[in-house]
Amino acid sequence: MNDLLLRALRAEPVERTPIWIMRQAGRYLPEYRAIRDKVSFRELCRDPGLATEVTLQPIDRLGVDGAILFSDILVPAEPMGFAVEFNPGPLIDNPVRSAADVERVRIPDPEETVPFVYETIRSVRAALDGRVPLIGFAGAPFTLAAYLVEGRGSKNFEHVKGMMYADPANLHRLLDKVTETTERYLAAQVRAGAQAVQLFDSWAGLLSRDSYREFALPYARRVLEHVRDAGAPRIYFALNSAHLLPAIRECGADAVGIDWRIGLDEASRMLDDRFVVQGNLDPCVLMSAPEAIAQRAREVLAQGAAAPGHVFNLGHGILPGTPVEHARVLVETVQGQQRAGR
């Protein structure tokens, strides 16, 4: 049994730094593209057999130290009352724009409304048979709420930020509902067999530190505290959040994901050296020559040695055009290095 990832997330001594890659089951893999040629993204998320297959693909192809559930952060949105399509990004045709819209948002029982998520988890655990741990995940409340208000991805998220300034009480009511839904959704993943969980706060970096403390941090902390007693290590990843690290110290996670915009050593200092850090190679490095990939990976490992623990990852998701052999170079480089002590 390879439990290296779990031990690292608990800041226990490890012989080497474990590695997994955000979006490691995705379009850069030809075997993933072959499946997507036959089914839509939405269908793939809802088919436990196919979702299990693609979850396992990077384990077989790259030999990474953790599997992450193949799903999407908007899966809980449909049972909350939203019509979600992917074309190719998410589109919600009935977004929240008023108090009446918030009132209609439901707080569903996830095991009844999205049972395919939990069936996939059980299927993946059986197929892995202890080879590596399985990571479950959810979108953090602010990030999910941002999609529900905006209706799609956005550069500026002017609708949710407009609500934040013009009608903050309404946004807080929505965040309360999203938070309770996310608590239920993520806790059920652990019950189904997820051995670690990651909370993705993809849009937290849009916020100032004061706004983050009001509209993102307390709700993320509620979710992370809700699953604390389940025993699965908890990772919090907020993209583009170097300016938020002094506030992220209060998130309640076991590990904090760091993007490529700040070094792991500096980030750990800003977190008072209290957290395992995860990251943070720039995904674009994987477009360079193998020698450059290996050199940059060793630099990230050296920076991560300053933290109480380190899980190697990219600073965001792997890019669709990444050559598979370059991802293999990265994994082999990291797995060939001993973990340096603090």
Side-chain angles (χ1 to χ4, degrees), residues 92 95-98 102 140-175 178 201-208 211 214-216 219:
I92 297 171
V96 170
R97 298 292 169 78
S98 68
V102 172
F142 176 77
T143 287
L144 182 52
Y147 276 118
L148 299 182
V149 174
E150 211 68 27
R152 63 181 65 213
S154 169
K155 182 178 179 180
N156 299 311
F157 280 86
E158 60 265 27
H159 290 293
V160 72
K161 292 187 78 174
M163 184 181 293
M164 183 177 77
Y165 293 121
D167 194 357
N170 199 36
L171 181 55
H172 280 298
R173 284 191 291 270
L174 175 62
L175 285 163
V178 172
D201 220 345
S202 305
W203 302 119
L206 295 166
L207 301 175
S208 69
S211 293
E214 180 175 356
F215 295 99
Y219 298 101

Side-chain angles (χ1 to χ4, degrees), residues 28-321:
Y28 75 104
L29 289 174
E31 52 267 50
Y32 173 86
R33 294 197 300 271
I35 292 175
R36 280 284 283 110
D37 285 343
K38 301 173 184 175
V39 299
S40 70
F41 179 77
R42 184 179 183 276
E43 290 170 325
L44 182 51
C45 289
R46 300 173 74 89
D47 185 315
L50 292 178
T52 295
E53 184 176 344
V54 298
T55 298
L56 296 174
Q57 285 173 349
I59 313 305
D60 299 329
R61 177 63 81 98
L62 303 180
V64 287
D65 295 304
I68 183 164
L69 171 70
F70 183 82
S71 188
D72 188 82
I73 63 172
L74 285 173
V75 164
E78 288 194 36
M80 295 176 74
F82 295 89
V84 183
E85 298 292 339
F86 295 89
N87 188 29
L91 298 173
I92 297 171
D93 66 8
N94 56 336
V96 170
R97 298 292 169 78
S98 68
D101 291 335
V102 172
E103 185 64 27
R104 68 172 165 81
V105 175
R106 299 190 294 266
I107 302 173
D109 180 332
E111 290 168 293
E112 291 183 0
T113 55
V114 288
F116 51 88
V117 171
Y118 309 106
E119 185 177 341
T120 301
I121 290 173
R122 290 187 287 269
S123 173
V124 171
R125 283 294 307 274
L128 284 171
D129 193 28
R131 282 192 289 164
V132 296
L134 174 63
I135 305 164
F137 73 92
F142 176 77
T143 287
L144 182 52
Y147 276 118
L148 299 182
V149 174
E150 211 68 27
R152 63 181 65 213
S154 169
K155 182 178 179 180
N156 299 311
F157 280 86
E158 60 265 27
H159 290 293
V160 72
K161 292 187 78 174
M163 184 181 293
M164 183 177 77
Y165 293 121
D167 194 357
N170 199 36
L171 181 55
H172 280 298
R173 284 191 291 270
L174 175 62
L175 285 163
D176 272 325
K177 288 189 169 186
V178 172
T179 299
E180 187 172 346
T181 298
T182 307
E183 289 171 347
R184 296 179 180 188
Y185 178 64
L186 202 56
Q189 289 188 30
V190 178
R191 289 195 298 271
Q195 294 156 282
V197 293
Q198 176 155 310
L199 198 62
F200 285 90
D201 220 345
S202 305
W203 302 119
L206 295 166
L207 301 175
S208 69
R209 195 177 299 175
D210 286 345
S211 293
Y212 174 78
R213 285 188 178 278
E214 180 175 356
F215 295 99
L217 176 62
Y219 298 101
R221 185 168 56 228
R222 273 175 51 183
V223 174
L224 292 165
E225 289 178 350
H226 184 80
V227 298
R228 177 182 56 197
D229 293 340
R234 301 153 300 156
I235 310 161
Y236 177 70
F237 175 63
L239 182 64
N240 199 12
S241 62
H243 65 297
L244 302 176
L245 288 172
I248 288 173
R249 288 181 301 204
E250 303 166 23
C251 72
D254 302 293
V256 174
I258 307 296
D259 69 23
W260 67 92
R261 295 170 176 88
I262 185 172
L264 292 179
D265 47 357
E266 183 181 356
S268 185
R269 288 193 297 272
M270 293 176 72
L271 293 166
D272 291 340
D273 292 319
R274 293 193 289 110
F275 296 86
V276 173
V277 293
Q278 179 178 277
N280 71 337
L281 187 73
D282 186 336
C284 292
V285 170
L286 294 183
M287 299 297 190
S288 63
E291 298 79 10
I293 295 169
Q295 176 59 34
R296 287 294 300 134
R298 288 190 289 267
E299 292 171 4
V300 171
L301 286 167
Q303 293 177 350
H310 179 206
V311 172
F312 199 104
N313 209 315
L314 302 181
H316 197 209
I318 190 168
L319 299 174

Side-chain angles (χ1 to χ4, degrees), residues 1-9 11-19 65 131 133 301 305 308-312 332-342:
M1 176 178 287
N2 177 359
D3 66 347
L4 189 68
L5 175 63
L6 299 179
R7 288 188 282 127
L9 288 172
E12 297 173 2
V14 291
E15 55 274 23
R16 65 169 177 83
T17 300
I19 177 172
D65 295 304
R131 282 192 289 164
L301 286 167
H310 179 206
V311 172
F312 199 104
E332 291 169 1
T333 299
V334 173
Q335 292 181 340
Q337 305 291 313
Q338 279 192 315
R339 160 75 178 163
R342 293 180 69 191

